[in-house]
Structure formats: structure tokens, C-alpha cells
Amino acid sequence: MIKPSEFARRRRELMALMAKDSIAIITAAPERTRSRDTLYRYRQDSDFYYLTGFDEPESVLVLIPGRRQGQFVMFCRDRDRAREIWDGYRAGPQGACEIYGADDAFPINDIDEILPGLIEGRERVYYAVGKDQNFDRQLMEWVKAIRARARAGAIPPAEFVDLDHLLHEMRLFKSPGELKVMGKSARIAARAHSRAMQVCKPGMFEYQLQAEIEHEFAMAGSDFPAYSSIVGGGANGCILHYIENRAPLQDGDLVLIDAGCEYQYYASDITRTFPVNGKFSPEQKVLYNIVLQAQYAAIAAARAGNHWEQPHEATVKVITEGLVDAGLLKGKVADLIRDGAYKDFYMHRAGHWLGMDVHDVGDYKVDHHWRLLEPGMVMTIEPGIYVSPDNTRVAKKWRGIGIRIEDNVAITRKGTEILTADVPKTIDDIEALMRG
Ligand code: GLY
Ligand code: MN
Ligand code: MN
């Protein structure tokens, strides 16, 4: 659990980065309709939650560094006995102060009267510029309300600045408290993948493996999968974002599962690829081991002081060499890399930042250069080889094989910590687990 003191520290740190005489405004995620009058399960906006721990919709967070009457201001829904009987507890403005530590809190219905007064006299407004058109428009209405009173001495803000840069730079570096929760998220997902390997049999449907995976997530107290689970048997494993998961699993095929859970707002993101019948074929073994070696090489390159691109470059090298050795690519390795020939088989990048969002926030370049890896960053490492079923330039025996291996890695002072190490990934370990 992220402690209230950590949410408070984040707000303090953000306010310390903000300019003098500024204000930051952050809105909660909207509720979304799934069909007619049923909603998707609510999930708070990551930025909003990161700074508050508050998970109700229709809320606005305002940070006003240096404001004497209180720097942390919240707008949220009023308590409402009738609505609470149907939809559950609401903190209300009083709860926002007492439970969440706001200095001041107001009903969301009063925001148009109150917020212009808080903005007035502040030179700079930080917010997520252009993320939500409704909010952009609303903000301009509040500014107009201030301008309308200019002759009475009201001073509208002069600058509107994107908040993302400051906030996302903070989110990129995980605290010890965050790493603990991310470790838990990773262990739950690792257990789920092991379970899928243990129960898999030819004739099962992809959605049944999905159900086994998501059962494990839910039983561990995870509220959601971190993204739509991908379970692709055979050539479906070559479709990078395959989420249909309706096909039966065939004897002799591989199945690729890319699934992770969200635990207390932190994502895990694991991919494993294993034989439906428990035994890799010779061709599957060859390609699997290339991907595995590429993944090891990338993990070795993922350490503090190296730059973001180095793990990706390591995967490109190992995969290109491996495809040449196996006869799927022909030519000199250096030329094939330069010309991007490997992209017929490996068309995505080796990974991404991981955190509250599965493709987490944070810049990959600083001043136009790949940024250096530093302790506290968490990333995925996920090379793959996908031989399209209609790739007639390779021998038939390779076609329709799709393989990805993905782990979650934290950069530490001493090296790296593989958060998802609990789930097997060598051929021997996978076959042993599947034999039972
Ligand atoms: N499942 C999305 C990804 O691996 O990036
Ligand atoms: Mn993934
Ligand atoms: Mn990923």
C-alpha cells in the first residue's frame, strides 16, 4: 500500500518544482459508459491518483504552492445519502480533508464560483494541456471570469504550462514503496503465467487460458488486468495485439500469452510463449532460444549508466545473428541490421517504461539523446520473433511461429532486479513445469 505520507511527499515535491506564484489543476478520470446505462468499472486517472490516493470520479485537485490558507485543495462530490445507497460511499469535502489530508475541500458543484478566485493572481497555470477538450474549454471559461473583473483589479494568469513534464519525470522514478507494490503486482502475474502453463492442454480455447490467468489476478486482490490479456495460439501469436482469444489451441502449436495485472494501481506486464502440448518442436526450439538469448542480452544491457536504446540494440543484434544462422535471413549481419531486414520478424521495440500505466510516462530522450538509465526506473524487456504464416521467403516449417518473452526489470544501484523472475522461461524449465 502506498502510505498517506508518500502521497503528501509527492505533492510537496511537485510544488517545489513549480514556479513561484503558480497553480496546478488536475482532473479525475471521467466515468465511461459501457452500454446504455451500465458503466465500465471506474479507474482513477494515474496522475490524479499519484498525487492524492483519491479514487472518486468528478473530482479536481488544485495545488497552490505558498497559499497561506492551504496549498492542497480538492473539489469532489458531496455526500448524498440516496446516491450512496445505490453506488457506495463518498468521502465528501469533509472526508477529503480528514481522510486524504486536503487543506481545503469544496463540493464539485461549486467549482465555477470558487476556482476562478484561486487562479486569480497566479501568474502561471500548470495543467495537462490538450488532454481533455472539455477541461481546456472549462479552464478558459474560468479565465474569462477573471478577465471580466479586470477593471475591479482582478489579474488573470499570463502563462499556461503543460504539467506532464514535471509530474511524469517524478513518476518515472519509483520509490521504495512503489517498488514494493510493483514487486507484488509482478509476483501475482508470474503466478498466473505458471498456472496457465500447468493447466494448458490441446483442445482448450484461448479464452480458457485467459480465464485461468485472470482468475489468479482476481484471487490475489488485483482489481483489473493492466491491459486486455493477449492469448494467441499458433499463428495468432504473430498478431501483436491479438485480444480476440476465441480460437482452440492446437496440438503442436505454441501459445503466446501477454498478460499482467494491475495491483493497487501498479501494472505488471509479462509475456511467455510455450508449447500447447508441453514439448517444443525442433523449429520452435531454434527460434525460442534466439529470443531468449536476445532477452538475456538486453537484460545485461539494462543497467544504470547505459542509455535507453542499448537493450534494444542488443536484441536487434542477437535476433539478426540468430535468424542468419537459422537461415531465415540471408546476408551480412551488419548490412541486415543497417537495412532493418530483421523488422520482417521483429517489428517492435525491446520495451517501455512500466508503472501505474502499462506503457508508463516518462521521456525516452533528453535533449534529443537517448536518456541514461538510472536507479528507480522500471522497464519491460520483451524481444520477439514473429514469422508471418504467409511469409513465402522462408521455409514452410518456420511459418506461423510467434514468440515473445517479456519480463519487468527495475534498475537498481547494483544492477537490475527482475521483478517477474518467478515464472520459468528456459525450454527445460517450461517443459518441466508442464510435465507437472
Ligand atoms: N502488452 C503490451 C506490451 O507488452 O507492451
Ligand atoms: Mn506485454
Ligand atoms: Mn510490454
Side-chain angles (χ1 to χ4, degrees), residues 200 206 209 231-238 248-257 272-289 291 385-387 397-405 427 430-431 434:
C200 183
E206 292 165 342
L209 277 189
V231 182
N236 291 338
C238 298
L249 297 165
Q250 311 285 353
D251 200 347
D253 278 351
L254 294 175
V255 56
L256 182 155
I257 303 183
R272 287 293 184 270
T273 309
F274 56 89
V276 170
N277 65 14
K279 283 293 284 175
F280 285 85
S281 75
E283 289 75 27
Q284 291 165 354
K285 271 188 188 172
V286 168
L287 297 187
Y288 190 90
N289 278 326
V291 178
I385 292 179
Y386 316 90
V387 188
K397 62 180 182 178
W398 305 112
R399 294 180 204 162
I401 297 180
I403 296 164
R404 178 164 63 253
I405 306 171
I427 287 179
I430 291 173
E431 289 186 347
M434 294 185 75

Side-chain angles (χ1 to χ4, degrees), residues 221-350:
S222 144
D223 280 331
F224 317 83
Y227 50 92
S228 298
S229 302
I230 296 168
V231 182
N236 291 338
C238 298
I239 304 169
L240 297 179
H241 288 162
Y242 175 80
I243 55 173
E244 252 175 67
N245 304 352
R246 303 313 297 174
L249 297 165
Q250 311 285 353
D251 200 347
D253 278 351
L254 294 175
V255 56
L256 182 155
I257 303 183
D258 183 344
C261 67
E262 182 173 300
Y263 182 75
Q264 293 177 0
Y265 277 86
Y266 287 86
S268 45
D269 181 7
I270 301 181
T271 307
R272 287 293 184 270
T273 309
F274 56 89
V276 170
N277 65 14
K279 283 293 284 175
F280 285 85
S281 75
E283 289 75 27
Q284 291 165 354
K285 271 188 188 172
V286 168
L287 297 187
Y288 190 90
N289 278 326
I290 299 170
V291 178
L292 185 60
Q293 292 310 318
Q295 210 232 10
Y296 286 143
I299 291 173
R303 49 190 155 74
N306 279 3
H307 63 69
W308 166 256
E309 189 71 347
Q310 277 169 275
H312 180 71
E313 286 166 354
T315 61
V316 166
K317 181 158 183 292
V318 174
I319 287 174
T320 305
E321 287 170 355
L323 290 173
V324 169
D325 286 344
L328 285 89
L329 279 178
K330 289 176 188 68
K332 273 172 58 186
V333 170
D335 298 344
L336 295 166
I337 291 176
R338 186 199 56 216
D339 300 340
Y342 60 89
K343 287 182 186 165
D344 276 350
F345 303 96
Y346 175 37
M347 57 296 280
H348 59 75
R349 302 194 46 84

Side-chain angles (χ1 to χ4, degrees), residues 269 352 380 382 406:
D269 181 7
H352 48 82
T380 68
E382 49 178 309
E406 175 173 29

Side-chain angles (χ1 to χ4, degrees), residues 61-375:
L61 159 67
V62 184
L63 294 174
I64 317 169
R67 177 173 175 262
R68 245 179 303 123
Q69 311 90 303
Q71 313 186 99
F72 170 22
V73 179
M74 285 272 279
F75 293 87
C76 62
R77 301 176 304 186
D78 255 325
R79 299 293 305 268
D80 178 332
R81 210 178 135 64
R83 288 314 323 160
E84 288 183 53
I85 287 170
W86 287 89
D87 300 330
Y89 175 79
R90 298 175 172 191
Q94 194 180 341
C97 294
E98 287 171 5
I99 305 166
Y100 296 90
D103 297 315
D104 247 343
F106 305 98
I108 188 73
N109 291 335
D110 296 346
I111 194 164
D112 290 338
E113 282 86 74
I114 295 171
L115 192 52
L118 296 176
I119 296 172
E120 191 198 322
R122 296 272 150 182
E123 269 174 41
R124 181 181 282 195
V125 181
Y126 290 93
Y127 74 107
V129 178
K131 192 157 112 185
D132 172 357
Q133 285 188 356
N134 288 330
F135 182 78
D136 291 346
R137 199 168 333 113
Q138 212 178 15
L139 180 59
M140 290 313 133
E141 291 300 320
W142 293 324
V143 172
K144 251 202 275 179
I146 301 170
R147 288 220 178 95
R149 293 190 296 104
R151 266 168 297 169
I155 305 168
E159 275 186 84
F160 298 86
V161 181
D162 195 24
L163 176 66
D164 286 6
H165 185 72
L166 294 184
L167 187 53
H168 294 176
E169 198 62 18
M170 287 173 59
R171 280 179 53 193
L172 176 57
F173 294 88
K174 275 67 180 178
S175 70
E178 290 183 287
L179 288 170
K180 230 164 119 179
V181 179
M182 289 193 75
K184 178 86 191 268
S185 180
R187 282 192 302 278
I188 295 167
R191 205 154 60 226
H193 280 262
S194 296
R195 178 188 176 101
M197 288 178 191
Q198 287 169 298
V199 303
C200 183
K201 278 199 298 283
M204 273 179 87
F205 286 84
E206 292 165 342
Y207 56 79
Q208 292 178 313
L209 277 189
Q210 177 187 347
E212 295 285 351
I213 290 259
E214 291 176 6
H215 170 87
E216 203 69 42
F217 292 171
M219 288 299 280
S222 144
D223 280 331
F224 317 83
Y227 50 92
S228 298
S229 302
I230 296 168
V231 182
N236 291 338
C238 298
I239 304 169
L240 297 179
H241 288 162
Y242 175 80
I243 55 173
E244 252 175 67
N245 304 352
R246 303 313 297 174
L249 297 165
Q250 311 285 353
D251 200 347
D253 278 351
L254 294 175
V255 56
L256 182 155
I257 303 183
D258 183 344
C261 67
E262 182 173 300
Y263 182 75
Q264 293 177 0
Y265 277 86
Y266 287 86
S268 45
D269 181 7
I270 301 181
T271 307
R272 287 293 184 270
T273 309
F274 56 89
V276 170
N277 65 14
K279 283 293 284 175
F280 285 85
S281 75
E283 289 75 27
Q284 291 165 354
K285 271 188 188 172
V286 168
L287 297 187
Y288 190 90
N289 278 326
I290 299 170
V291 178
L292 185 60
Q293 292 310 318
Q295 210 232 10
Y296 286 143
I299 291 173
R303 49 190 155 74
N306 279 3
H307 63 69
W308 166 256
E309 189 71 347
Q310 277 169 275
H312 180 71
E313 286 166 354
T315 61
V316 166
K317 181 158 183 292
V318 174
I319 287 174
T320 305
E321 287 170 355
L323 290 173
V324 169
D325 286 344
L328 285 89
L329 279 178
K330 289 176 188 68
K332 273 172 58 186
V333 170
D335 298 344
L336 295 166
I337 291 176
R338 186 199 56 216
D339 300 340
Y342 60 89
K343 287 182 186 165
D344 276 350
F345 303 96
Y346 175 37
M347 57 296 280
H348 59 75
R349 302 194 46 84
H352 48 82
W353 303 131
L354 183 71
M356 298 182 76
D357 295 301
V358 63
H359 296 159
D360 206 31
V361 295
D363 292 333
Y364 292 97
K365 281 189 171 175
V366 176
D367 295 333
H368 308 292
H369 296 289
W370 295 113
R371 85 183 292 158
L372 297 182
L373 299 174
E374 295 177 56

Side-chain angles (χ1 to χ4, degrees), residues 382-421:
E382 49 178 309
I385 292 179
Y386 316 90
V387 188
S388 162
D390 46 28
N391 184 342
T392 50
R393 278 158 300 156
V394 301
K396 212 166 173 181
K397 62 180 182 178
W398 305 112
R399 294 180 204 162
I401 297 180
I403 296 164
R404 178 164 63 253
I405 306 171
E406 175 173 29
D407 280 304
N408 304 160
V409 168
I411 309 295
T412 66
R413 218 163 300 145
K414 293 199 202 91
T416 52
E417 186 189 350
I418 303 178
L419 304 176
T420 47

